[in-house]
PDB file of all heavy atoms in Angstrom:
ATOM      1  N   ALA A   1       9.736   9.311   0.586  1.00 98.00           N
ATOM      2  CA  ALA A   1      10.979   8.681   0.128  1.00 98.00           C
ATOM      3  C   ALA A   1      10.874   7.163   0.211  1.00 98.00           C
ATOM      4  O   ALA A   1      11.327   6.433  -0.685  1.00 98.00           O
ATOM      5  CB  ALA A   1      12.157   9.179   0.971  1.00 98.00           C
ATOM      6  N   GLY A   2      10.238   6.686   1.275  1.00 98.00           N
ATOM      7  CA  GLY A   2      10.071   5.252   1.446  1.00 98.00           C
ATOM      8  C   GLY A   2       9.186   4.628   0.383  1.00 98.00           C
ATOM      9  O   GLY A   2       9.434   3.498  -0.057  1.00 98.00           O
ATOM     10  N   LEU A   3       8.157   5.353  -0.057  1.00 98.00           N
ATOM     11  CA  LEU A   3       7.299   4.847  -1.130  1.00 98.00           C
ATOM     12  C   LEU A   3       8.107   4.636  -2.408  1.00 98.00           C
ATOM     13  O   LEU A   3       7.928   3.637  -3.114  1.00 98.00           O
ATOM     14  CB  LEU A   3       6.151   5.820  -1.400  1.00 98.00           C
ATOM     15  CG  LEU A   3       5.031   5.884  -0.363  1.00 98.00           C
ATOM     16  CD1 LEU A   3       4.033   6.980  -0.743  1.00 98.00           C
ATOM     17  CD2 LEU A   3       4.319   4.551  -0.227  1.00 98.00           C
ATOM     18  N   VAL A   4       9.006   5.578  -2.699  1.00 98.00           N
ATOM     19  CA  VAL A   4       9.839   5.464  -3.902  1.00 98.00           C
ATOM     20  C   VAL A   4      10.777   4.265  -3.780  1.00 98.00           C
ATOM     21  O   VAL A   4      10.892   3.439  -4.700  1.00 98.00           O
ATOM     22  CB  VAL A   4      10.633   6.764  -4.134  1.00 98.00           C
ATOM     23  CG1 VAL A   4      11.609   6.590  -5.298  1.00 98.00           C
ATOM     24  CG2 VAL A   4       9.688   7.934  -4.398  1.00 98.00           C
ATOM     25  N   VAL A   5      11.461   4.156  -2.635  1.00 97.00           N
ATOM     26  CA  VAL A   5      12.388   3.040  -2.431  1.00 97.00           C
ATOM     27  C   VAL A   5      11.640   1.716  -2.470  1.00 97.00           C
ATOM     28  O   VAL A   5      12.099   0.740  -3.083  1.00 97.00           O
ATOM     29  CB  VAL A   5      13.133   3.199  -1.088  1.00 97.00           C
ATOM     30  CG1 VAL A   5      13.975   1.957  -0.796  1.00 97.00           C
ATOM     31  CG2 VAL A   5      14.010   4.448  -1.103  1.00 97.00           C
ATOM     32  N   ALA A   6      10.459   1.667  -1.828  1.00 97.00           N
ATOM     33  CA  ALA A   6       9.691   0.427  -1.793  1.00 97.00           C
ATOM     34  C   ALA A   6       9.219   0.023  -3.183  1.00 97.00           C
ATOM     35  O   ALA A   6       9.146  -1.174  -3.491  1.00 97.00           O
ATOM     36  CB  ALA A   6       8.491   0.587  -0.859  1.00 97.00           C
ATOM     37  N   ALA A   7       8.910   1.009  -4.027  1.00 97.00           N
ATOM     38  CA  ALA A   7       8.510   0.693  -5.398  1.00 97.00           C
ATOM     39  C   ALA A   7       9.681   0.098  -6.179  1.00 97.00           C
ATOM     40  O   ALA A   7       9.516  -0.833  -6.976  1.00 97.00           O
ATOM     41  CB  ALA A   7       7.985   1.949  -6.087  1.00 97.00           C
ATOM     42  N   VAL A   8      10.888   0.622  -5.932  1.00 96.00           N
ATOM     43  CA  VAL A   8      12.089   0.098  -6.604  1.00 96.00           C
ATOM     44  C   VAL A   8      12.443  -1.277  -6.038  1.00 96.00           C
ATOM     45  O   VAL A   8      12.770  -2.198  -6.790  1.00 96.00           O
ATOM     46  CB  VAL A   8      13.261   1.080  -6.434  1.00 96.00           C
ATOM     47  CG1 VAL A   8      14.544   0.476  -6.994  1.00 96.00           C
ATOM     48  CG2 VAL A   8      12.946   2.411  -7.111  1.00 96.00           C
ATOM     49  N   ARG A   9      12.371  -1.403  -4.718  1.00 94.00           N
ATOM     50  CA  ARG A   9      12.683  -2.674  -4.054  1.00 94.00           C
ATOM     51  C   ARG A   9      11.399  -3.497  -3.879  1.00 94.00           C
ATOM     52  O   ARG A   9      11.075  -3.979  -2.797  1.00 94.00           O
ATOM     53  CB  ARG A   9      13.349  -2.409  -2.694  1.00 94.00           C
ATOM     54  CG  ARG A   9      14.596  -1.568  -2.751  1.00 94.00           C
ATOM     55  CD  ARG A   9      15.651  -2.194  -3.624  1.00 94.00           C
ATOM     56  NE  ARG A   9      16.897  -1.435  -3.639  1.00 94.00           N
ATOM     57  CZ  ARG A   9      17.844  -1.590  -4.549  1.00 94.00           C
ATOM     58  NH1 ARG A   9      17.670  -2.477  -5.525  1.00 94.00           N
ATOM     59  NH2 ARG A   9      18.946  -0.867  -4.507  1.00 94.00           N
ATOM     60  N   TRP A  10      10.690  -3.659  -4.939  1.00 94.00           N
ATOM     61  CA  TRP A  10       9.355  -4.262  -4.950  1.00 94.00           C
ATOM     62  C   TRP A  10       9.326  -5.646  -4.315  1.00 94.00           C
ATOM     63  O   TRP A  10       8.424  -5.974  -3.553  1.00 94.00           O
ATOM     64  CB  TRP A  10       8.880  -4.309  -6.396  1.00 94.00           C
ATOM     65  CG  TRP A  10       7.558  -4.957  -6.640  1.00 94.00           C
ATOM     66  CD1 TRP A  10       7.343  -6.162  -7.241  1.00 94.00           C
ATOM     67  CD2 TRP A  10       6.274  -4.447  -6.300  1.00 94.00           C
ATOM     68  NE1 TRP A  10       5.997  -6.429  -7.300  1.00 94.00           N
ATOM     69  CE2 TRP A  10       5.316  -5.390  -6.718  1.00 94.00           C
ATOM     70  CE3 TRP A  10       5.826  -3.288  -5.664  1.00 94.00           C
ATOM     71  CZ2 TRP A  10       3.953  -5.212  -6.547  1.00 94.00           C
ATOM     72  CZ3 TRP A  10       4.458  -3.119  -5.487  1.00 94.00           C
ATOM     73  CH2 TRP A  10       3.554  -4.066  -5.928  1.00 94.00           C
ATOM     74  N   LYS A  11      10.330  -6.464  -4.609  1.00 93.00           N
ATOM     75  CA  LYS A  11      10.309  -7.838  -4.116  1.00 93.00           C
ATOM     76  C   LYS A  11      10.508  -7.921  -2.602  1.00 93.00           C
ATOM     77  O   LYS A  11      10.184  -8.943  -1.999  1.00 93.00           O
ATOM     78  CB  LYS A  11      11.363  -8.672  -4.842  1.00 93.00           C
ATOM     79  CG  LYS A  11      11.011  -8.928  -6.303  1.00 93.00           C
ATOM     80  CD  LYS A  11      11.974  -9.894  -6.957  1.00 93.00           C
ATOM     81  CE  LYS A  11      11.577 -10.195  -8.395  1.00 93.00           C
ATOM     82  NZ  LYS A  11      12.499 -11.166  -9.041  1.00 93.00           N
ATOM     83  N   ARG A  12      11.069  -6.889  -1.997  1.00 94.00           N
ATOM     84  CA  ARG A  12      11.240  -6.870  -0.540  1.00 94.00           C
ATOM     85  C   ARG A  12      10.045  -6.258   0.170  1.00 94.00           C
ATOM     86  O   ARG A  12       9.921  -6.393   1.398  1.00 94.00           O
ATOM     87  CB  ARG A  12      12.509  -6.078  -0.176  1.00 94.00           C
ATOM     88  CG  ARG A  12      13.805  -6.829  -0.470  1.00 94.00           C
ATOM     89  CD  ARG A  12      15.001  -5.911  -0.339  1.00 94.00           C
ATOM     90  NE  ARG A  12      15.068  -5.247   0.956  1.00 94.00           N
ATOM     91  CZ  ARG A  12      15.784  -4.163   1.191  1.00 94.00           C
ATOM     92  NH1 ARG A  12      16.496  -3.594   0.231  1.00 94.00           N
ATOM     93  NH2 ARG A  12      15.807  -3.628   2.398  1.00 94.00           N
ATOM     94  N   THR A  13       9.178  -5.572  -0.561  1.00 97.00           N
ATOM     95  CA  THR A  13       8.118  -4.798   0.095  1.00 97.00           C
ATOM     96  C   THR A  13       6.716  -5.091  -0.445  1.00 97.00           C
ATOM     97  O   THR A  13       5.761  -4.449  -0.015  1.00 97.00           O
ATOM     98  CB  THR A  13       8.395  -3.294  -0.065  1.00 97.00           C
ATOM     99  OG1 THR A  13       8.344  -2.951  -1.463  1.00 97.00           O
ATOM    100  CG2 THR A  13       9.747  -2.913   0.493  1.00 97.00           C
ATOM    101  N   TYR A  14       6.591  -6.055  -1.362  1.00 97.00           N
ATOM    102  CA  TYR A  14       5.293  -6.277  -2.002  1.00 97.00           C
ATOM    103  C   TYR A  14       4.201  -6.623  -0.992  1.00 97.00           C
ATOM    104  O   TYR A  14       3.008  -6.374  -1.224  1.00 97.00           O
ATOM    105  CB  TYR A  14       5.401  -7.406  -3.051  1.00 97.00           C
ATOM    106  CG  TYR A  14       5.577  -8.778  -2.462  1.00 97.00           C
ATOM    107  CD1 TYR A  14       4.479  -9.574  -2.145  1.00 97.00           C
ATOM    108  CD2 TYR A  14       6.852  -9.290  -2.207  1.00 97.00           C
ATOM    109  CE1 TYR A  14       4.648 -10.841  -1.590  1.00 97.00           C
ATOM    110  CE2 TYR A  14       7.025 -10.550  -1.654  1.00 97.00           C
ATOM    111  CZ  TYR A  14       5.918 -11.317  -1.346  1.00 97.00           C
ATOM    112  OH  TYR A  14       6.084 -12.563  -0.785  1.00 97.00           O
ATOM    113  N   MET A  15       4.562  -7.197   0.152  1.00 97.00           N
ATOM    114  CA  MET A  15       3.558  -7.636   1.113  1.00 97.00           C
ATOM    115  C   MET A  15       2.894  -6.480   1.858  1.00 97.00           C
ATOM    116  O   MET A  15       1.858  -6.673   2.506  1.00 97.00           O
ATOM    117  CB  MET A  15       4.176  -8.633   2.101  1.00 97.00           C
ATOM    118  CG  MET A  15       5.200  -8.045   3.069  1.00 97.00           C
ATOM    119  SD  MET A  15       6.788  -7.590   2.303  1.00 97.00           S
ATOM    120  CE  MET A  15       7.414  -9.192   1.801  1.00 97.00           C
ATOM    121  N   TRP A  16       3.462  -5.268   1.775  1.00 98.00           N
ATOM    122  CA  TRP A  16       2.857  -4.128   2.475  1.00 98.00           C
ATOM    123  C   TRP A  16       1.787  -3.430   1.644  1.00 98.00           C
ATOM    124  O   TRP A  16       0.808  -2.929   2.181  1.00 98.00           O
ATOM    125  CB  TRP A  16       3.927  -3.095   2.833  1.00 98.00           C
ATOM    126  CG  TRP A  16       5.093  -3.623   3.584  1.00 98.00           C
ATOM    127  CD1 TRP A  16       5.162  -4.767   4.336  1.00 98.00           C
ATOM    128  CD2 TRP A  16       6.392  -3.022   3.651  1.00 98.00           C
ATOM    129  NE1 TRP A  16       6.416  -4.911   4.868  1.00 98.00           N
ATOM    130  CE2 TRP A  16       7.195  -3.855   4.466  1.00 98.00           C
ATOM    131  CE3 TRP A  16       6.942  -1.862   3.127  1.00 98.00           C
ATOM    132  CZ2 TRP A  16       8.524  -3.554   4.747  1.00 98.00           C
ATOM    133  CZ3 TRP A  16       8.261  -1.557   3.402  1.00 98.00           C
ATOM    134  CH2 TRP A  16       9.048  -2.396   4.201  1.00 98.00           C
ATOM    135  N   TRP A  17       1.996  -3.376   0.334  1.00 98.00           N
ATOM    136  CA  TRP A  17       1.132  -2.576  -0.529  1.00 98.00           C
ATOM    137  C   TRP A  17      -0.335  -2.978  -0.470  1.00 98.00           C
ATOM    138  O   TRP A  17      -1.218  -2.100  -0.530  1.00 98.00           O
ATOM    139  CB  TRP A  17       1.644  -2.609  -1.969  1.00 98.00           C
ATOM    140  CG  TRP A  17       3.005  -1.998  -2.133  1.00 98.00           C
ATOM    141  CD1 TRP A  17       4.207  -2.623  -1.971  1.00 98.00           C
ATOM    142  CD2 TRP A  17       3.309  -0.647  -2.476  1.00 98.00           C
ATOM    143  NE1 TRP A  17       5.237  -1.744  -2.208  1.00 98.00           N
ATOM    144  CE2 TRP A  17       4.716  -0.519  -2.521  1.00 98.00           C
ATOM    145  CE3 TRP A  17       2.523   0.464  -2.760  1.00 98.00           C
ATOM    146  CZ2 TRP A  17       5.352   0.681  -2.836  1.00 98.00           C
ATOM    147  CZ3 TRP A  17       3.151   1.667  -3.078  1.00 98.00           C
ATOM    148  CH2 TRP A  17       4.555   1.767  -3.100  1.00 98.00           C
ATOM    149  N   PRO A  18      -0.688  -4.263  -0.390  1.00 98.00           N
ATOM    150  CA  PRO A  18      -2.119  -4.610  -0.349  1.00 98.00           C
ATOM    151  C   PRO A  18      -2.881  -4.027   0.838  1.00 98.00           C
ATOM    152  O   PRO A  18      -4.116  -3.980   0.812  1.00 98.00           O
ATOM    153  CB  PRO A  18      -2.109  -6.150  -0.296  1.00 98.00           C
ATOM    154  CG  PRO A  18      -0.839  -6.527  -1.001  1.00 98.00           C
ATOM    155  CD  PRO A  18       0.149  -5.486  -0.555  1.00 98.00           C
ATOM    156  N   PHE A  19      -2.164  -3.569   1.866  1.00 98.00           N
ATOM    157  CA  PHE A  19      -2.870  -3.025   3.022  1.00 98.00           C
ATOM    158  C   PHE A  19      -3.346  -1.591   2.797  1.00 98.00           C
ATOM    159  O   PHE A  19      -3.994  -1.009   3.677  1.00 98.00           O
ATOM    160  CB  PHE A  19      -2.006  -3.174   4.275  1.00 98.00           C
ATOM    161  CG  PHE A  19      -1.986  -4.591   4.763  1.00 98.00           C
ATOM    162  CD1 PHE A  19      -1.083  -5.512   4.234  1.00 98.00           C
ATOM    163  CD2 PHE A  19      -2.904  -5.038   5.694  1.00 98.00           C
ATOM    164  CE1 PHE A  19      -1.084  -6.840   4.637  1.00 98.00           C
ATOM    165  CE2 PHE A  19      -2.915  -6.365   6.115  1.00 98.00           C
ATOM    166  CZ  PHE A  19      -2.004  -7.271   5.581  1.00 98.00           C
ATOM    167  N   PHE A  20      -3.043  -1.049   1.614  1.00 98.00           N
ATOM    168  CA  PHE A  20      -3.734   0.171   1.203  1.00 98.00           C
ATOM    169  C   PHE A  20      -5.218  -0.111   0.970  1.00 98.00           C
ATOM    170  O   PHE A  20      -6.033   0.808   1.007  1.00 98.00           O
ATOM    171  CB  PHE A  20      -3.122   0.742  -0.081  1.00 98.00           C
ATOM    172  CG  PHE A  20      -1.885   1.561   0.143  1.00 98.00           C
ATOM    173  CD1 PHE A  20      -0.628   1.053  -0.168  1.00 98.00           C
ATOM    174  CD2 PHE A  20      -1.964   2.848   0.647  1.00 98.00           C
ATOM    175  CE1 PHE A  20       0.518   1.806   0.029  1.00 98.00           C
ATOM    176  CE2 PHE A  20      -0.823   3.614   0.852  1.00 98.00           C
ATOM    177  CZ  PHE A  20       0.424   3.096   0.541  1.00 98.00           C
ATOM    178  N   VAL A  21      -5.582  -1.367   0.716  1.00 97.00           N
ATOM    179  CA  VAL A  21      -6.989  -1.709   0.439  1.00 97.00           C
ATOM    180  C   VAL A  21      -7.870  -1.456   1.655  1.00 97.00           C
ATOM    181  O   VAL A  21      -8.865  -0.719   1.549  1.00 97.00           O
ATOM    182  CB  VAL A  21      -7.111  -3.163  -0.064  1.00 97.00           C
ATOM    183  CG1 VAL A  21      -8.580  -3.579  -0.144  1.00 97.00           C
ATOM    184  CG2 VAL A  21      -6.439  -3.314  -1.421  1.00 97.00           C
ATOM    185  N   PRO A  22      -7.593  -2.034   2.842  1.00 97.00           N
ATOM    186  CA  PRO A  22      -8.452  -1.713   3.989  1.00 97.00           C
ATOM    187  C   PRO A  22      -8.404  -0.240   4.366  1.00 97.00           C
ATOM    188  O   PRO A  22      -9.385   0.293   4.895  1.00 97.00           O
ATOM    189  CB  PRO A  22      -7.902  -2.595   5.120  1.00 97.00           C
ATOM    190  CG  PRO A  22      -6.573  -3.080   4.661  1.00 97.00           C
ATOM    191  CD  PRO A  22      -6.611  -3.092   3.175  1.00 97.00           C
ATOM    192  N   LEU A  23      -7.276   0.424   4.097  1.00 97.00           N
ATOM    193  CA  LEU A  23      -7.203   1.858   4.376  1.00 97.00           C
ATOM    194  C   LEU A  23      -8.181   2.623   3.503  1.00 97.00           C
ATOM    195  O   LEU A  23      -9.026   3.388   3.998  1.00 97.00           O
ATOM    196  CB  LEU A  23      -5.774   2.372   4.151  1.00 97.00           C
ATOM    197  CG  LEU A  23      -5.613   3.907   4.203  1.00 97.00           C
ATOM    198  CD1 LEU A  23      -5.893   4.425   5.606  1.00 97.00           C
ATOM    199  CD2 LEU A  23      -4.228   4.319   3.733  1.00 97.00           C
ATOM    200  N   PHE A  24      -8.100   2.434   2.186  1.00 96.00           N
ATOM    201  CA  PHE A  24      -8.859   3.287   1.279  1.00 96.00           C
ATOM    202  C   PHE A  24     -10.303   2.852   1.085  1.00 96.00           C
ATOM    203  O   PHE A  24     -11.180   3.697   0.899  1.00 96.00           O
ATOM    204  CB  PHE A  24      -8.140   3.405  -0.071  1.00 96.00           C
ATOM    205  CG  PHE A  24      -7.110   4.485  -0.069  1.00 96.00           C
ATOM    206  CD1 PHE A  24      -5.774   4.189   0.131  1.00 96.00           C
ATOM    207  CD2 PHE A  24      -7.474   5.809  -0.238  1.00 96.00           C
ATOM    208  CE1 PHE A  24      -4.819   5.190   0.162  1.00 96.00           C
ATOM    209  CE2 PHE A  24      -6.530   6.825  -0.201  1.00 96.00           C
ATOM    210  CZ  PHE A  24      -5.198   6.515  -0.017  1.00 96.00           C
ATOM    211  N   VAL A  25     -10.596   1.561   1.127  1.00 96.00           N
ATOM    212  CA  VAL A  25     -11.988   1.138   0.954  1.00 96.00           C
ATOM    213  C   VAL A  25     -12.856   1.715   2.071  1.00 96.00           C
ATOM    214  O   VAL A  25     -13.959   2.227   1.824  1.00 96.00           O
ATOM    215  CB  VAL A  25     -12.092  -0.394   0.900  1.00 96.00           C
ATOM    216  CG1 VAL A  25     -13.555  -0.836   0.991  1.00 96.00           C
ATOM    217  CG2 VAL A  25     -11.476  -0.916  -0.392  1.00 96.00           C
ATOM    218  N   THR A  26     -12.378   1.651   3.306  1.00 94.00           N
ATOM    219  CA  THR A  26     -13.171   2.178   4.419  1.00 94.00           C
ATOM    220  C   THR A  26     -13.290   3.695   4.370  1.00 94.00           C
ATOM    221  O   THR A  26     -14.255   4.257   4.890  1.00 94.00           O
ATOM    222  CB  THR A  26     -12.546   1.773   5.770  1.00 94.00           C
ATOM    223  OG1 THR A  26     -11.169   2.164   5.800  1.00 94.00           O
ATOM    224  CG2 THR A  26     -12.643   0.290   5.995  1.00 94.00           C
ATOM    225  N   GLN A  27     -12.357   4.377   3.736  1.00 95.00           N
ATOM    226  CA  GLN A  27     -12.407   5.834   3.651  1.00 95.00           C
ATOM    227  C   GLN A  27     -13.242   6.306   2.462  1.00 95.00           C
ATOM    228  O   GLN A  27     -14.078   7.196   2.581  1.00 95.00           O
ATOM    229  CB  GLN A  27     -10.985   6.406   3.527  1.00 95.00           C
ATOM    230  CG  GLN A  27     -10.029   6.032   4.624  1.00 95.00           C
ATOM    231  CD  GLN A  27     -10.248   6.812   5.901  1.00 95.00           C
ATOM    232  OE1 GLN A  27     -10.810   7.898   5.906  1.00 95.00           O
ATOM    233  NE2 GLN A  27      -9.807   6.251   7.015  1.00 95.00           N
ATOM    234  N   VAL A  28     -13.004   5.700   1.296  1.00 95.00           N
ATOM    235  CA  VAL A  28     -13.628   6.172   0.064  1.00 95.00           C
ATOM    236  C   VAL A  28     -15.133   5.946   0.073  1.00 95.00           C
ATOM    237  O   VAL A  28     -15.901   6.764  -0.439  1.00 95.00           O
ATOM    238  CB  VAL A  28     -12.980   5.482  -1.159  1.00 95.00           C
ATOM    239  CG1 VAL A  28     -13.772   5.754  -2.433  1.00 95.00           C
ATOM    240  CG2 VAL A  28     -11.539   5.969  -1.322  1.00 95.00           C
ATOM    241  N   PHE A  29     -15.578   4.846   0.682  1.00 94.00           N
ATOM    242  CA  PHE A  29     -16.998   4.513   0.637  1.00 94.00           C
ATOM    243  C   PHE A  29     -17.744   4.898   1.910  1.00 94.00           C
ATOM    244  O   PHE A  29     -18.844   4.411   2.159  1.00 94.00           O
ATOM    245  CB  PHE A  29     -17.172   3.024   0.332  1.00 94.00           C
ATOM    246  CG  PHE A  29     -16.660   2.649  -1.026  1.00 94.00           C
ATOM    247  CD1 PHE A  29     -15.480   1.939  -1.167  1.00 94.00           C
ATOM    248  CD2 PHE A  29     -17.335   3.055  -2.172  1.00 94.00           C
ATOM    249  CE1 PHE A  29     -14.993   1.607  -2.427  1.00 94.00           C
ATOM    250  CE2 PHE A  29     -16.854   2.732  -3.435  1.00 94.00           C
ATOM    251  CZ  PHE A  29     -15.678   2.011  -3.571  1.00 94.00           C
ATOM    252  N   SER A  30     -17.151   5.777   2.711  1.00 92.00           N
ATOM    253  CA  SER A  30     -17.849   6.267   3.898  1.00 92.00           C
ATOM    254  C   SER A  30     -17.737   7.787   3.979  1.00 92.00           C
ATOM    255  O   SER A  30     -16.881   8.405   3.346  1.00 92.00           O
ATOM    256  CB  SER A  30     -17.293   5.617   5.169  1.00 92.00           C
ATOM    257  OG  SER A  30     -15.930   5.947   5.357  1.00 92.00           O
ATOM    258  N   ARG A  31     -18.617   8.373   4.747  1.00 89.00           N
ATOM    259  CA  ARG A  31     -18.689   9.826   4.887  1.00 89.00           C
ATOM    260  C   ARG A  31     -17.774  10.297   6.017  1.00 89.00           C
ATOM    261  O   ARG A  31     -17.403   9.542   6.888  1.00 89.00           O
ATOM    262  CB  ARG A  31     -20.142  10.243   5.167  1.00 89.00           C
ATOM    263  CG  ARG A  31     -21.081   9.890   4.024  1.00 89.00           C
ATOM    264  CD  ARG A  31     -22.547   9.874   4.448  1.00 89.00           C
ATOM    265  NE  ARG A  31     -23.358   9.379   3.345  1.00 89.00           N
ATOM    266  CZ  ARG A  31     -23.984  10.157   2.462  1.00 89.00           C
ATOM    267  NH1 ARG A  31     -23.895  11.475   2.569  1.00 89.00           N
ATOM    268  NH2 ARG A  31     -24.691   9.633   1.476  1.00 89.00           N
ATOM    269  N   GLY A  32     -17.463  11.588   5.982  1.00 88.00           N
ATOM    270  CA  GLY A  32     -16.652  12.168   7.046  1.00 88.00           C
ATOM    271  C   GLY A  32     -15.195  11.788   6.985  1.00 88.00           C
ATOM    272  O   GLY A  32     -14.535  11.690   8.017  1.00 88.00           O
TER     273      GLY A  32
END
């Protein structure tokens, strides 16, 4: 639900979304 609200309230939450990068880069390019 928060992802949906944050997408609508983009200007209040834009600073959080880029932190998906350290989450997914370390996961996608590593094993296990």
Side-chain angles (χ1 to χ4, degrees):
L3 287 176
V4 174
V5 173
V8 174
R9 303 301 183 197
W10 177 251
K11 290 187 177 181
R12 286 169 55 199
T13 64
Y14 71 90
M15 69 288 295
W16 307 338
W17 297 86
F19 285 85
F20 278 105
V21 171
L23 171 66
F24 275 98
V25 169
T26 54
Q27 303 283 337
V28 170
F29 296 107
S30 62
R31 297 161 187 264

